[in-house]
């Protein structure tokens, strides 16, 4: 039975490998079949700079909202920092800062 299962392509590949095989949009990182980039007609011109503090586990989540945010704003207006802990928050927030969707702080 194990030999039979090994012959099936689904059981020889991890879910990550299967996901990589699907063609994805280079802008929003979603599969081409559900790409929403056509809805982004032009980048928003805003005075505010957005800094996203993203947990590494969130990079591969299905919603992929960070790439959409980056695609919606001017290039220099959105910075994404990936990590579990950010020791240099004072440097990051040296200008007046608003934190959206905060987690409990230690």
């Amino acid at each position: 039975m194990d030999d039979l299962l090994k012959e099936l392509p689904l059981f020889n590949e991890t879910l990550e490998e299967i996901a990589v095989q699907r063609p994805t949009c280079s802008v929003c990182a979603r599969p081409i079949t559900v790409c929403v980039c056509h809805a982004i007609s032009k980048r928003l011109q805003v005075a505010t700079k957005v800094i996203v503090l993203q947990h590494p586990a969130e990079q591969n989540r299905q919603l992929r909202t960070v790439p959409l945010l980056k695609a919606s704003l001017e290039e220099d207006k959105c910075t994404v920092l990936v990590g579990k802990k950010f020791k240099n928050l004072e440097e990051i927030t040296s200008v007046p800062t608003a934190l959206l969707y905060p987690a409990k702080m230690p």
Side-chain angles (χ1 to χ4, degrees), residues 14-77:
T14 65
L15 290 177
E16 291 83 12
E17 290 170 333
I18 292 168
V20 168
Q21 292 176 1
R22 293 191 305 183
T24 57
C25 173
S26 62
V27 177
C28 69
R30 292 171 181 253
I32 295 293
T33 55
V34 292
C35 171
V36 293
C37 289
H38 64 278
I40 304 170
S41 58
K42 63 179 183 175
R43 290 181 181 255
L44 298 173
Q45 296 180 356
V46 295
T48 306
K49 183 173 181 179
V50 176
I51 302 170
V52 178
L53 305 178
Q54 186 179 41
H55 189 279
E58 293 294 319
Q59 287 182 297
N60 298 320
R61 299 285 310 253
Q62 296 270 336
L63 293 177
R64 302 187 192 269
T65 52
V66 173
L68 286 175
L69 176 64
K70 286 186 66 122
S72 299
L73 299 176
E74 293 175 299
E75 285 187 42
D76 64 335
K77 295 297 182 179

Side-chain angles (χ1 to χ4, degrees), residues 87-103:
K87 295 179 181 180
N88 60 341
L89 279 178
E90 292 79 21
E91 293 174 30
I92 295 170
T93 59
S94 61
V95 296
T97 305
L99 180 61
L100 304 176
Y101 300 102

Side-chain angles (χ1 to χ4, degrees), residues 1-8 11-12:
M1 179 71 168
D2 288 338
D3 292 336
L4 178 63
L5 291 177
K6 288 180 183 175
E7 291 178 20
L8 296 172
F11 291 97
N12 289 332

